[in-house]
Amino acid sequence: MIDTTRTDIPEGEERLRLDVEDGIGVLTLCRPAKLNAWSWESTRQLGLYADRIRFDPSVRAVLLRAEGRAFCAGIDVSAPGGAITGRSGAERARAYYEGIRWAHERFAAFARLPQPVVAAVQGYCLGFGFELALMADVRIAARDAVFALPEAQLGLAVDAGGDLRIAREAGTGWAKFLALTGRRLDATTAERLHLVQLVADETELEATARTVAAEIAANAPLAVQGVKRAVDAYAEAPLTAALDRTALSAALTLTSEDAAEGYAAKGARRAPRFEGK
């Protein structure tokens, strides 16, 4: 795992980039060659940027966007420190549990920013990418966007609360259907399920999302932030406890033999043979 005490982002190691433009904090996933795949380091940088944005009065809204043809294709299994080691299965599970809880704290800092977050999603938005988009307050998708939670196909539990957020937005039936099957959604279906608020042509995604962010930024900051806090207080009341159970479930599956089999099968392009252990 990475050094969680670092507060710097060395040049050349950027996973995200922050630019402030006309009251909008533009937070960009900037590894297009990797399809913006996510890692522990990405999580660390997201937390750092969330802390900067939170106390910056010049940022009245946040635009979450990505470079390249994908928003985020999921976890970067090739990233350094991706696997957590331990002297026993129990020690590994404990380390994963604390690591995921640490990640949840970074995600919570982002999702609970006082400034509203508008996500602009194009191309693949899979696994954690979908979960990250669901942390935004408003989601706008290009017509080519594809959403999915494929974790169960790899032998893993959903680890960042995406299934819980889908349950909140679209209902428990859809959350279970999507998380249990790993099926993909197109942008139109995601809009129908209230998982995205607007769908735009690929060439108009950026302009549409920036327009929405600008409309929010133009409104009274205290009123805007009060609205966000009030809605979140109602909608997310049970989420903290649920996320703790999610972290434990994810830690157990990450240390399972089924997870190893899932990744091996994916790499070999064959059907996995899960044994429930």
Side-chain angles (χ1 to χ4, degrees), residues 89-98 100 154-159 244-260 276-277:
E91 187 174 66
R92 286 185 67 220
R94 183 264 179 197
Y96 263 118
Y97 176 57
E98 292 304 327
I100 295 165
L154 296 170
L156 305 174
V158 180
D159 62 0
D244 188 73
R245 300 298 294 269
T246 294
L248 180 58
S249 178
L252 293 174
T253 59
L254 282 162
T255 55
S256 71
E257 293 182 21
D258 277 353
K277 60 180 182 179

Side-chain angles (χ1 to χ4, degrees), residues 181-203:
T181 65
R183 285 200 185 189
R184 295 184 175 188
L185 290 179
D186 59 26
T188 300
T189 305
E191 182 183 33
R192 178 168 60 84
L193 296 179
H194 308 297
L195 299 176
V196 302
Q197 282 65 58
L198 292 174
V199 175
D201 290 335
E202 290 87 337
T203 57

Side-chain angles (χ1 to χ4, degrees), residues 12-152:
E13 296 184 19
E14 299 91 348
R15 303 298 187 268
L16 300 101
R17 183 180 67 248
L18 176 63
D19 302 288
V20 179
E21 307 167 357
D22 300 322
I24 300 172
V26 182
L27 189 60
T28 302
L29 279 65
C30 57
R31 298 184 78 209
K34 290 280 190 178
L35 300 182
N36 298 308
W38 201 260
S39 64
W40 293 111
E41 176 61 17
S42 304
T43 298
R44 186 185 74 86
Q45 293 185 19
L46 180 70
L48 292 178
Y49 281 127
D51 287 344
R52 294 181 191 178
I53 293 167
R54 179 180 183 179
F55 294 103
D56 187 343
S58 71
V59 177
R60 296 190 174 191
V62 177
L63 173 60
L64 176 65
R65 61 180 296 277
E67 294 179 346
R69 59 190 179 90
F71 178 75
C72 175
I75 296 296
D76 184 359
V77 297
S78 67
I84 290 180
T85 60
R87 295 170 298 176
S88 67
E91 187 174 66
R92 286 185 67 220
R94 183 264 179 197
Y96 263 118
Y97 176 57
E98 292 304 327
I100 295 165
R101 280 177 11 102
W102 169 83
H104 284 176
E105 291 163 3
R106 310 282 85 70
F107 301 151
F110 175 68
R112 295 174 186 167
L113 281 171
Q115 303 94 330
V117 178
V118 178
V121 179
Q122 78 278 8
Y124 290 126
C125 186
L126 309 178
F128 180 77
F130 194 4
E131 298 187 89
L132 177 63
L134 287 165
M135 294 177 202
D137 301 289
V138 176
R139 291 167 291 280
I140 301 170
R143 296 194 188 280
D144 70 344
V146 178
F147 302 88
L149 293 177
E151 284 86 345

